[in-house]
Amino acid sequence: MKRGIVSLLLVFFICCHAKMQVIRSKTEAMQFIAKQRYTNAYKAKAEELQAIVQDFVLRPLLYSTEHLVSETTLKDQAYVTNKTPTEKLTEETTKMTVTNVTVEPITMTVTNITVATTMMTVTNTTMEATTMVATEITEEPESQCLMDLETFGSDILGEEHYALMMLDSYGKLPPGILQGNILWLGLYDQCLNQSREIDDHQAQFAAQYCLASITKDKNPQPILNVGVCVPDSCNSAELMEYLNVIDEANITVSVMCHKEFDYSSGAIACLTLLAFLGCLILVGTAIEAFNKYKESETENEGFERLASKNQSQLTDNEQTKTTPVNGPSRVTTIDVGGENTHGFLIQFLLCFSLLTNGSKILKAKQGEGSLGALNGFRVLSLWWVILGHSYAFGMALFTNPTKIVDVLSRFTFQAIGNATFSVDSFFFLSGLLVTYLTLKYLRNNNGKLNWVMFYVHRYLRLTPVYMLVIFMYTTLTPYFATGPLYSYIFDPNPAPGVDTQITLCQDYWWTNLLYINNLYPSNLAKECLDWSWYLANDMQFFIISPFIIYLLYHYFFAGVAVWCILLLTCFSSLIGESIKHDVTTEFIPEDPTQINFVGDVIYVQPWTRISTYLVGMAVGYILYKYRGRVRMSLSMTLLGWVTATVIGLAVVYGLYGNFHGNHLSKAATVVYITLCRFAWAIALAWVVFACATGYGGPVNSLLSWSAWIPLARISYCAYLLHPIIMFVFYYSLPTAVYFSDFLMVYFFLGHLVLSYTGAFVLSVCAEAPFMALEKLLLKRDKSV
């Protein structure tokens, strides 16, 4: 038996261990890292980028044809270009195309022409045509946007304070171009605080902030994002039309402007719901507080009367009126458990009491027979998730994104770069708990279980608070904050064809309600709450779990056969997808079209992620069957701990060589992708098994620490909320941030504290009341 276990563990180790070699020289490492950089987006040098900004953003906005900015003025702006702005403007104005006909030095007759007055200037233009006859010429009214831009440009020359402040808030050439800095955001707050006032102190126009994104060669990835400050009479469509007037096939400028949103009907409905929920919480809390006050008053009165029996001044009549402490109370309290018509209403309201729900969450005790080590597992795994998301979600706002490549190549950073394995820890724990608890319930109830309620309870346990978070996220997030990117990311009514975080939830929230959002839409980036793909997988695994659990309880070998079939199906899917799509284990593939092993193809599909859930189910059955009756020798215990440690380290640190030129072969890549998550679950299986059977030692003491219990109870809410908190924080930043290790530590700790603070509020105000209501309405006393 021992030899079989040892052989099996060694096979897992050999299959999962990716070859790690020591890099031969620092030069070799640096050459490899240089190859991995984002070469496509950041090849343009600073001079070239500034010239693009000059030609395609600044000149159209600031240098109107009515008021040409002098060459002397432009010298102070230090814009890099091959020609002086005056020369380029003169060259531009001499080219004139009317109704797609270029004016040539011959006699022409032009009829039915509409000319915008702002676009026609002949001051510095030499016309060689001998005769030009124009009939029926009509002038199109000049748009307010163009008129205000002309006024703005004129006021810059006049050194008006507001105009200089607007100009100063434009994005400018920053340091770090060669580190990938393509966010020239400028000064968002300064721009919005400006306005042009006329004599009676009324604003002729206010300033608005817009972000111009410049793309090249039809590549959707911008080569540059520049903040501009323009009059609020201009909208995104007008600015894009104006900025793309220069016919350059390889350069396109898109514009998104800051918006201030009025409260929508959905936002008002959400606020009304939250207000109603708040009223229920206040009433329920007041009722319980009143009851506790009356109970304490009764107890104090009883103690006083009991003490008064020993006082000689009491008369016999007074003593006979004394109420015993344990006797019936003379104080009437609100009946919360009676069968009268008011009993149910009071119990309903008490479900929302902050006193009861808060005390349940904060109580650092668990019932007998619970697996205490799982609390530490759950909390630490969620911390790992939040740590990984702190880096992943913030990367878009780094002014030095290529620094991430250097950071990823560190050996010490591999645990953060491989934070996706934290999700597999949750799959493992979920499979373990559902199997262990269900088998115990079946044993205590003679093998009987209401399987319909088995599903109903699970759905009601997760869905109400889940839908509440989606409702708040979809309707209220646009009003939480503001920033140069915020209104674009959370715009509930974007331009046609543009998807934002809000519109995705407006379109696909129902897939979350049905727990199919990992399957439809097929692209993870299109999902509502894209991090909730985990919940869809977990629910789908839960749906099929009773078929395995029932067979394991009644027909063990049939259950094992189904378990093995599902595991082999998972392995086959991983092998097939890895070969079909040529999936790589490199975080930043040299070929940008190559799919990473955390891509949508294999990362979110249930048939490729079920292996860790199945391992959890196996451990749950073993603990149900043999917990408390396991005896292991010291050598066997040490072997288990060493093997589990080696497997875990091989999985997490096994890709270190990819960053230093030691790439896995095609075969090794397929083996790693197929077995890495299964192997991680095997390592966790030993830790949980050892802790549950008394062989955990200090590890069990740490994981079973009572301080984890309250944090574990609010883990679900923290999981739902933490990305929203990160999004609001990151996209409300007025400027981009320079990545550094200490900064990310600070961000992580802030995200952690705010996530759990918000999770406690959400849990005590929504999750716990919904759970109490389920027990009240369905008459449930205990969960499976």
Side-chain angles (χ1 to χ4, degrees), residues 532-577:
S532 64
W533 67 268
Y534 161 80
L535 289 179
N537 277 270
D538 191 64
M539 179 63 78
Q540 291 157 12
F541 299 157
F542 182 85
I543 290 173
I544 67 174
S545 64
F547 300 99
I548 302 175
I549 294 172
Y550 181 84
L551 291 175
L552 287 174
Y553 186 82
H554 292 285
Y555 311 100
F556 174 74
F557 291 105
V560 172
V562 173
W563 186 92
C564 292
I565 291 172
L566 289 174
L567 184 62
L568 291 175
T569 301
C570 177
F571 288 162
S572 301
S573 300
L574 287 167
I575 293 172
E577 295 290 349

Side-chain angles (χ1 to χ4, degrees), residues 568-758:
L568 291 175
T569 301
C570 177
F571 288 162
S572 301
S573 300
L574 287 167
I575 293 172
E577 295 290 349
S578 300
I579 296 175
K580 176 182 177 182
H581 298 282
D582 191 23
V583 180
T584 179
T585 56
E586 297 177 17
F587 284 90
I588 306 172
E590 293 186 15
D591 181 2
T593 62
Q594 196 171 14
I595 299 174
N596 186 273
F597 78 111
V598 294
D600 294 355
V601 173
I602 61 175
Y603 189 67
V604 301
Q605 309 302 331
W607 47 83
T608 59
R609 297 304 296 265
I610 197 174
S611 61
T612 52
Y613 192 90
L614 292 172
V615 174
M617 294 187 72
V619 175
Y621 179 83
I622 293 172
L623 292 179
Y624 156 77
K625 200 74 174 177
Y626 301 107
R627 186 187 181 195
R629 293 178 296 174
V630 176
R631 297 291 181 269
M632 290 187 293
S633 64
L634 178 60
S635 59
M636 187 66 182
T637 303
L638 291 175
L639 178 62
W641 277 107
V642 171
T643 305
T645 301
V646 171
I647 291 176
L649 292 176
V651 169
V652 176
Y653 292 91
L655 298 179
Y656 176 65
N658 276 352
F659 296 95
H660 302 282
N662 301 316
H663 303 281
L664 297 178
S665 65
K666 292 288 185 182
T669 297
V670 173
V671 171
Y672 182 87
I673 292 174
T674 303
L675 295 179
C676 63
R677 303 191 185 281
F678 178 73
W680 176 253
I682 293 296
L684 294 182
W686 168 260
V687 177
V688 172
F689 178 77
C691 291
T693 54
Y695 295 93
V699 175
N700 181 56
S701 300
L702 173 64
L703 296 177
S704 300
W705 185 28
S706 60
W708 300 125
I709 298 175
L711 296 177
R713 291 194 181 107
I714 60 176
S715 292
Y716 178 52
C717 290
Y719 159 76
L720 291 175
L721 288 180
H722 80 271
I724 301 176
I725 292 173
M726 291 184 189
F727 290 153
V728 171
F729 170 74
Y730 281 132
Y731 291 112
S732 64
L733 291 174
T735 60
V737 295
Y738 189 87
F739 170 85
S740 68
D741 292 323
F742 283 112
L743 181 69
M744 294 311 301
V745 170
Y746 198 81
F747 280 176
F748 165 64
L749 294 177
H751 294 152
L752 197 66
V753 172
L754 289 177
S755 297
Y756 274 91
T757 301

